[in-house]
Coordinates of all heavy atoms in Angstrom, one line a residue:
M117 N -11.8 -11.6 -18.2 CA -12.8 -12.3 -17.4 C -12.2 -13.6 -17.0 O -11.3 -14.3 -17.6 CB -14.1 -12.5 -18.2 CG -14.7 -11.4 -18.8 SD -16.1 -10.9 -17.9 CE -17.4 -11.7 -18.9
T118 N -12.7 -14.0 -15.8 CA -12.2 -15.2 -15.1 C -13.6 -15.9 -14.6 O -14.6 -15.3 -14.5 CB -11.2 -15.0 -14.1 OG1 -12.0 -14.6 -12.9 CG2 -10.2 -14.0 -14.3
P119 N -13.5 -17.1 -14.0 CA -14.6 -17.6 -13.4 C -15.1 -16.9 -12.1 O -16.2 -17.1 -11.6 CB -14.2 -19.0 -12.9 CG -13.0 -19.4 -13.7 CD -12.4 -18.0 -14.1
Y120 N -14.3 -16.0 -11.6 CA -14.6 -15.1 -10.5 C -15.0 -13.7 -10.9 O -15.0 -12.8 -10.0 CB -13.4 -15.1 -9.5 CG -12.9 -16.5 -9.3 CD1 -11.6 -16.8 -9.9 CD2 -13.6 -17.5 -8.7 CE1 -11.1 -18.1 -9.7 CE2 -13.2 -18.8 -8.6 CZ -11.9 -19.1 -9.1 OH -11.4 -20.4 -9.1
S121 N -15.3 -13.4 -12.2 CA -15.6 -12.0 -12.5 C -17.0 -11.6 -12.1 O -17.3 -10.4 -12.0 CB -15.6 -11.9 -14.1 OG -14.2 -12.2 -14.4
R122 N -17.9 -12.6 -11.7 CA -19.2 -12.1 -11.2 C -19.8 -11.1 -12.3 O -19.9 -11.6 -13.4 CB -19.3 -11.5 -9.9 CG -18.8 -12.6 -8.8 CD -18.7 -12.0 -7.4 NE -17.7 -10.9 -7.3 CZ -17.7 -9.9 -6.5 NH1 -18.5 -9.9 -5.6 NH2 -16.5 -9.0 -6.5
M123 N -20.3 -10.0 -11.9 CA -21.0 -9.1 -12.8 C -20.0 -8.2 -13.6 O -20.3 -7.4 -14.4 CB -21.9 -8.2 -12.1 CG -22.9 -8.9 -11.2 SD -24.0 -10.0 -12.2 CE -25.1 -8.7 -12.8
G124 N -18.6 -8.4 -13.3 CA -17.6 -7.4 -13.8 C -17.1 -7.8 -15.2 O -17.4 -8.9 -15.7
D125 N -16.5 -6.9 -15.8 CA -16.0 -7.1 -17.2 C -14.5 -7.7 -17.3 O -14.0 -7.9 -18.4 CB -16.1 -5.8 -18.0 CG -15.3 -4.7 -17.3 OD1 -14.6 -4.9 -16.4 OD2 -15.4 -3.6 -17.9
G126 N -13.9 -7.9 -16.1 CA -12.5 -8.4 -16.1 C -11.5 -7.3 -16.4 O -10.3 -7.7 -16.6
R127 N -11.9 -6.2 -16.7 CA -10.9 -5.1 -17.0 C -10.6 -4.1 -15.9 O -11.2 -3.9 -14.9 CB -11.5 -4.3 -18.2 CG -11.6 -5.1 -19.5 CD -10.2 -5.6 -19.9 NE -10.2 -6.2 -21.2 CZ -9.2 -7.0 -21.7 NH1 -8.2 -7.2 -21.0 NH2 -9.3 -7.5 -23.0
A128 N -9.5 -3.4 -16.1 CA -9.0 -2.3 -15.3 C -8.9 -1.1 -16.3 O -8.6 -1.3 -17.3 CB -7.8 -2.6 -14.5
V129 N -9.2 0.1 -15.7 CA -9.1 1.2 -16.7 C -7.6 1.9 -16.4 O -7.0 1.6 -15.5 CB -10.2 2.3 -16.5 CG1 -11.4 1.7 -16.9 CG2 -10.2 2.8 -15.0
L130 N -7.3 2.8 -17.3 CA -6.0 3.4 -17.3 C -5.9 4.2 -16.0 O -4.8 4.1 -15.3 CB -5.9 4.3 -18.5 CG -4.5 5.0 -18.6 CD1 -3.3 4.1 -18.7 CD2 -4.5 6.0 -19.8
R131 N -6.8 5.0 -15.7 CA -6.9 5.8 -14.5 C -6.5 4.9 -13.2 O -5.5 5.3 -12.5 CB -8.3 6.3 -14.3 CG -8.6 7.0 -13.0 CD -10.1 7.6 -13.1 NE -11.1 6.6 -13.7 CZ -11.8 5.7 -12.8 NH1 -11.5 5.7 -11.6 NH2 -12.6 5.0 -13.3
S132 N -7.3 3.8 -13.0 CA -6.9 3.2 -11.7 C -5.6 2.3 -11.8 O -4.9 2.1 -10.9 CB -8.0 2.1 -11.4 OG -8.1 1.1 -12.5
S133 N -5.2 2.0 -13.1 CA -4.0 1.2 -13.2 C -2.7 2.2 -12.9 O -1.8 1.9 -12.1 CB -3.8 0.7 -14.6 OG -4.9 -0.1 -14.9
I134 N -2.9 3.4 -13.2 CA -1.8 4.4 -13.0 C -1.7 4.7 -11.5 O -0.8 4.7 -10.9 CB -2.1 5.8 -13.8 CG1 -1.8 5.6 -15.3 CG2 -1.3 6.9 -13.2 CD1 -2.1 6.8 -16.2
R135 N -2.9 4.9 -10.9 CA -3.0 5.0 -9.4 C -2.5 4.0 -8.6 O -1.7 4.1 -7.7 CB -4.5 5.2 -8.9 CG -5.1 6.7 -9.3 CD -6.5 6.8 -8.9 NE -6.8 6.4 -7.6 CZ -6.7 7.3 -6.5 NH1 -6.2 8.5 -6.8 NH2 -7.0 6.8 -5.3
E136 N -2.7 2.8 -9.1 CA -2.0 1.6 -8.3 C -0.5 1.5 -8.6 O 0.2 1.3 -7.6 CB -2.6 0.2 -8.8 CG -1.8 -1.0 -8.3 CD -2.6 -2.2 -7.8 OE1 -3.9 -2.3 -8.0 OE2 -2.0 -3.0 -7.2
F137 N -0.1 1.8 -9.8 CA 1.3 1.8 -10.1 C 2.1 2.9 -9.1 O 3.1 2.6 -8.5 CB 1.5 2.1 -11.5 CG 3.1 2.3 -12.0 CD1 3.8 1.2 -12.3 CD2 3.7 3.6 -11.9 CE1 5.2 1.4 -12.6 CE2 5.0 3.7 -12.2 CZ 5.7 2.6 -12.5
L138 N 1.5 4.1 -9.3 CA 2.1 5.2 -8.6 C 2.2 4.9 -7.1 O 3.2 5.2 -6.4 CB 1.5 6.5 -8.8 CG 1.7 7.1 -10.3 CD1 0.7 8.2 -10.5 CD2 3.1 7.5 -10.6

Side-chain angles (χ1 to χ4, degrees):
M117 303 255 269
T118 78
Y120 315 111
S121 297
R122 297 177 294 158
M123 310 297 280
D125 57 6
R127 290 302 190 193
V129 295
L130 182 61
R131 166 176 55 83
S132 65
S133 305
I134 288 175
R135 281 173 55 84
E136 170 140 7
F137 175 89
L138 290 172

